Structure formats: structure tokens, C-alpha cells
Amino acid sequence: DTAVSQTPKYLVTQMGNDKSIKCEQNLGHDTMYWYKQDSKKFLKIMFSYNNKELIINETVPNRFSPKSPDKAHLNLHINSLELGDSAVYFCASSRGHGTDTQYFGPGTRLTVL
Amino acid sequence: AQKVTQAQTEISVVEKEDVTLDCVYETRDTTYYLFWYKQPPSGELVFLIRRNSFDEQNEISGRYSWNFQKSTSSFNFTITASQVVDSAVYFCALYNFNKFYFGSGTKLNVKP
């Protein structure tokens, strides 16, 4: 039973395309997050959702849009992909926002050609 | 301004040595949380510890221990008797004002 799952694990696509990454958690948590880790291993939080409401929206291009159909899912849509979007994207969840243990998905490696 | 600094980019030790990973943070708030995460070569992210700003007690978990000192704004992580499986990138993070701030990570190489 995977606690936090992401699909796909790898995503290779052309510049200009639109793509989505899906995330699901079966922990009953109220908060979910999207992180981006670049090639230099820098970690940055992009979004967090608490009970389907956006809490944090760091400085992220509006080409990135999180979609939360329900508390257990937080999908990431990326429009007009650029080379600089190549990174590993991690989904995570926690019981409460920020102060509780976060459980991470396995990551999605996005490569934009 | 909020900031987390992990000055050690990479550390190499030989198995069974003790090693300390440094984390220095900046915040103007009195209520905040500090975290450590581990990212082994396989790539997954693993939560290690959470500490709130009102709890300065040091914590020990097996070979891992954490030293939180508000006076020096530091939250250092020590691995005792290191093992090859400890090889990973370790991230320190700060949470306050509804935002997270991550350090740049310290890569630990433990050689047999």
C-alpha cells in the first residue's frame, strides 16, 4: 500500500507541450504539496493545498496550475513546457499544514527536450 | 528575512566515524518549525525530524541526534558511527509564516 503515489515516474516531452503529473495519497491527510528539485538538487515548494484550498503559491509561473479534485488528489498541470521546467517533481502530504510530518511520493522526473 | 544555510556542500567520512551536519537559520518570528530530510541516492525524500521553536531539548534516535540551539540559530544533525547506508543528501528546512525555506543540502559520502 503506497502512501503517496505519483504518475508517471518519468516524463519526456517536447518544448511547448502541455503535461500533467498526478498525485494521490491514501493517508487521509488534509494537506498536499508540490515540490520542484532542479538539477543542482535545490528543493523548492511550489504549492500546498489544505482541504482543497490553496495555501502557498510561491513564485511559480502561471503555466503551472495545481488541481485538487478531492482531498486525496493533487495534480500538477504544466502548460507550454520550457527547457527550464526539467526537474524532479515531488508530491507530499501531511496531516496539517506545515507543522506535521510530510510523506513524499517517489518523484516524477520531467525532461523537456 | 527567512533563510536556511547549510554551509557544508559535501562531506566525506570513513565508516564508523561520527559526523555533524550544520544548519543555521534566520527568522524574525518566535514561532517556527525546523526539519531535517534525507535523500538517498535512490532519490526519494525521507522525513527525519521536526522541531518547534519552543522545544530546545536535544533529540536522539538511534545513531542520529539533533542539537537545537536558539542562541546560535542552529539545528545541527549528528550521525554517530556512520554507515555506508547513511550516504545521502541531507536537507534542513524552516517553516514559518506559512512558508517553507530549504537549505541547499549537504551531501554525505560514507566510505567503507
Side-chain angles (χ1 to χ4, degrees):
Chain A
D1 281 348
T2 304
V4 182
S5 59
Q6 295 177 228
T7 53
K9 190 169 175 60
Y10 300 96
L11 183 54
V12 181
T13 188
Q14 298 288 331
M15 224 166 40
N17 284 350
D18 303 338
K19 289 294 178 186
S20 295
I21 306 172
K22 295 186 177 181
C23 178
E24 177 181 1
Q25 55 96 1
N26 62 6
L27 298 166
H29 287 163
D30 288 331
T31 306
M32 296 183 73
Y33 312 80
W34 276 108
Y35 287 81
K36 177 181 179 182
Q37 186 173 41
D38 64 23
S39 58
K40 294 183 179 178
K41 296 285 191 179
F42 290 122
L43 259 178
K44 174 185 171 182
I45 190 168
M46 301 174 72
F47 306 99
S48 72
Y49 260 76
N50 188 24
N51 282 325
K52 295 177 63 179
E53 296 298 323
L54 181 65
I55 297 176
I56 297 175
N57 183 359
E58 300 287 346
T59 306
V60 174
N62 57 15
R63 297 182 296 102
F64 290 80
S65 56
K67 296 281 194 307
S68 181
D70 55 58
K71 204 171 71 166
H73 297 84
L74 182 63
N75 303 325
L76 183 63
H77 299 273
I78 316 171
N79 296 324
S80 303
L81 278 156
E82 300 178 357
L83 294 177
D85 298 332
S86 294
V88 179
Y89 293 83
F90 288 97
C91 176
S93 74
S94 65
R95 187 165 27 186
H97 184 261
T99 60
D100 291 321
T101 303
Q102 291 187 36
Y103 296 85
F104 288 84
T108 296
R109 181 173 294 278
L110 171 64
T111 303
V112 182
L113 303 174
Chain B
Q2 280 64 241
K3 185 180 174 182
V4 176
T5 302
Q6 294 180 255
Q8 304 151 309
T9 306
E10 189 165 352
I11 301 175
S12 292
V13 299
V14 177
E15 213 172 14
K16 296 185 184 175
E17 284 185 12
D18 298 348
V19 57
T20 295
L21 309 182
D22 297 333
C23 173
V24 174
Y25 61 93
E26 293 176 30
T27 179
R28 62 180 184 272
D29 199 7
T30 55
T31 302
Y32 52 89
Y33 290 79
L34 297 163
F35 301 82
W36 275 96
Y37 296 90
K38 175 181 179 179
Q39 187 172 39
S42 50
E44 73 270 25
L45 279 163
V46 179
F47 165 89
L48 293 177
I49 190 172
R50 176 189 75 242
R51 207 29 139 214
N52 74 55
S53 54
F54 299 107
D55 182 2
E56 281 193 79
Q57 280 190 355
N58 291 332
E59 180 149 343
I60 299 174
S61 176
R63 295 182 298 104
Y64 294 172
S65 63
W66 290 268
N67 183 0
F68 177 28
Q69 293 203 344
K70 289 175 77 170
S71 59
T72 55
S73 296
S74 64
F75 187 42
N76 296 336
F77 173 31
T78 298
I79 302 175
T80 303
S82 60
Q83 300 177 0
V84 172
V85 293
D86 296 326
S87 295
V89 179
Y90 292 86
F91 293 95
C92 180
L94 164 72
Y95 174 81
N96 70 342
F97 295 125
N98 251 6
K99 289 186 182 290
F100 285 94
Y101 304 87
F102 280 82
S104 53
T106 297
K107 184 176 182 182
L108 175 64
N109 302 304
V110 181
K111 301 175 183 177

